[in-house]
């Protein structure tokens, strides 16, 4: 067991549907703590840079359009095995394959509009957290 930090994004379909509170409540109920948070609208450049590893994928432009279509909540979640725990709580990328009770099963409307993002590894978490947050914006919740 190790205390970790991971990046979480509540995506535009979930903010539009007024599910910000439901999603944050779930993270807290599961024992994850919010170490940083911002409600914001991503620019095209910021969204493209965030998803740069998907640049050659056929869904890239559509994904960037979706991620810039409305507000997002950017958060740093902290807790025991936070990276894996967050991924378990979110469920599979495709909500059709997500387990019952997971955030994507509950709040996604499709594989693109899948309600939440979470870092998939320690190295991604480090890159993604520093992409959106300065060190002095992140609080110790250990
Ligand atoms: P996320 O976990 O944020 O990582 C990449 C995102 O691309 C993913 O969630 C989905 O929003 C989107 N995505 C992944 N696969 C597809 C796909 N086959 N079609 C459309 N969007 C996808």
């Amino acid at each position: 067991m190790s205390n970790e930090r991971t990046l979480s994004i509540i995506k535009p379909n979930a903010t539009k549907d007024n599910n910000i509170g439901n999603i944050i409540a779930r993270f807290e109920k599961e024992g994850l703590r919010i170490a940083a948070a911002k409600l914001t609208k991503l620019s095209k450049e910021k969204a493209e840079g965030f998803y740069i590893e998907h640049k050659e994928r056929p869904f890239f432009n559509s994904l960037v359009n979706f991620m810039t279509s409305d507000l997002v909540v950017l958060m740093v979640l902290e807790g025991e095995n936070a990276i894996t725990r967050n991924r378990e709580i979110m469920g599979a990328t495709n909500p059709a394959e997500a387990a019952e009770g997971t955030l994507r099963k509950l709040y996604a409307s499709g594989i693109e509009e899948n309600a939440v993002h979470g870092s998939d590894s320690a190295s991604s978490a480090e890159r993604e957290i520093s992409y959106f947050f300065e060190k002095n914006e992140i609080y110790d919740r250990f």
Side-chain angles (χ1 to χ4, degrees):
M1 299 280 270
S2 65
N3 216 317
E4 293 174 341
R5 284 176 171 166
T6 189
L7 184 87
S8 169
I9 305 178
I10 303 178
K11 297 189 179 186
N13 69 299
T15 63
K16 216 178 298 184
D17 291 345
N18 243 4
N19 281 318
I20 295 173
N22 288 330
I23 291 171
I24 290 178
R26 179 64 180 281
F27 288 139
E28 291 194 321
K29 187 163 166 262
E30 299 276 356
L32 294 173
R33 295 176 295 279
I34 296 163
K38 286 179 192 175
L39 176 70
T40 188
K41 192 153 190 272
L42 297 179
S43 66
K44 183 170 181 279
E45 293 68 30
K46 200 74 180 167
E48 283 175 347
F50 181 72
Y51 280 121
I52 193 73
E53 67 183 301
H54 296 301
K55 188 146 184 48
E56 304 307 323
R57 302 281 195 98
F59 58 80
F60 180 75
N61 287 339
S62 172
L63 175 62
V64 168
N65 283 338
F66 164 58
M67 290 300 290
T68 56
S69 66
D70 211 314
L71 298 177
V72 296
V73 181
L74 307 170
M75 291 182 288
V76 177
L77 302 178
E78 186 176 279
E80 287 294 318
N81 296 317
I83 298 166
T84 304
R85 282 297 297 132
N86 182 34
R87 294 182 70 74
E88 289 167 353
I89 295 164
M90 290 192 300
T93 302
N94 186 349
E97 293 161 12
E100 286 303 325
T102 59
L103 293 175
R104 283 169 170 159
K105 189 70 172 188
L106 289 167
Y107 304 122
S109 54
I111 191 166
E112 180 173 271
E113 300 199 358
N114 63 356
V116 279
H117 166 85
S119 309
D120 65 4
S121 64
S123 59
S124 299
E126 204 175 319
R127 177 186 91 81
E128 293 178 359
I129 290 169
S130 65
Y131 188 76
F132 287 120
F133 291 94
E134 301 294 333
K135 279 202 164 63
N136 66 5
E137 294 177 306
I138 306 170
Y139 295 88
D140 256 337
R141 302 291 311 277
F142 294 130

